[in-house]
């Protein structure tokens, strides 16, 4: 059963914006944190942004000031607003949900920043 469904990826020009969404199954409860990771070709998967159940956020230095993570825990949904996109932001973006039992991963959504 698919438990995390990502959407919002696509092709965007440099300087453009995208908003990623990740909807987790309502059966996933006791969520501690939700976040986004990305993996570019030839690179390791890296943390992009996280948000805890208390609302604390953390961002990778490369995206701070450009990306904003937000969440609706009542709906088990996390968002990533990406502004001022750069070609180096091109990657597969993965949603991550951490509850008290296990860690869930989305299927990944491709973000391509190119003219």
């Amino acid at each position: 059963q698919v438990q995390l469904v990502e959407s919002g990826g696509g092709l965007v020009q440099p300087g453009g914006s995208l908003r990623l969404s990740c909807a987790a199954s309502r059966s996933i409860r006791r969520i501690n944190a939700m976040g986004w990771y990305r993996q570019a070709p030839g690179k390791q998967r890296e943390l992009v942004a996280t948000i805890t159940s208390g609302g604390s956020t953390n961002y990778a230095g490369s995206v701070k000031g450009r990306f904003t993570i937000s969440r609706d825990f009542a709906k088990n949904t996390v968002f990533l607003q990406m502004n001022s996109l750069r070609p180096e932001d091109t990657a597969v973006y993965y949603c991550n949900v951490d509850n008290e039992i296990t860690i869930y991963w989305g299927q990944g959504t491709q973000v391509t920043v190119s003219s």
Side-chain angles (χ1 to χ4, degrees):
Q1 294 293 117
V2 177
Q3 299 189 78
L4 303 183
V5 179
E6 300 182 33
S7 63
L11 175 64
V12 65
Q13 295 183 343
S17 298
L18 286 172
R19 190 183 193 226
L20 305 183
S21 299
C22 175
S25 171
R26 297 297 299 272
S27 66
I28 301 177
R29 302 176 181 179
R30 302 177 299 279
I31 292 174
N32 295 322
M34 308 178 79
W36 292 93
Y37 294 71
R38 68 185 182 187
Q39 187 167 21
K43 296 185 178 180
Q44 294 181 302
R45 186 174 297 188
E46 65 175 347
L47 184 149
V48 178
T50 59
I51 185 166
T52 69
S53 60
S56 298
T57 58
N58 185 50
Y59 296 91
S62 60
V63 307
K64 190 174 183 179
R66 300 188 297 121
F67 292 9
T68 302
I69 188 170
S70 60
R71 82 286 186 271
D72 185 343
F73 281 123
K75 297 182 179 179
N76 280 15
T77 302
V78 63
F79 307 94
L80 185 68
Q81 179 66 47
M82 305 184 293
N83 299 326
S84 302
L85 283 162
R86 306 165 180 170
E88 51 264 42
D89 294 317
T90 296
V92 177
Y93 285 69
Y94 296 91
C95 176
N96 170 273
V97 174
D98 174 28
N99 78 344
E100 295 181 359
I101 304 300
T102 189
I103 296 174
Y104 301 85
W105 290 94
Q107 80 282 4
T109 185
Q110 177 70 48
V111 172
T112 301
V113 185
S114 177
S115 60

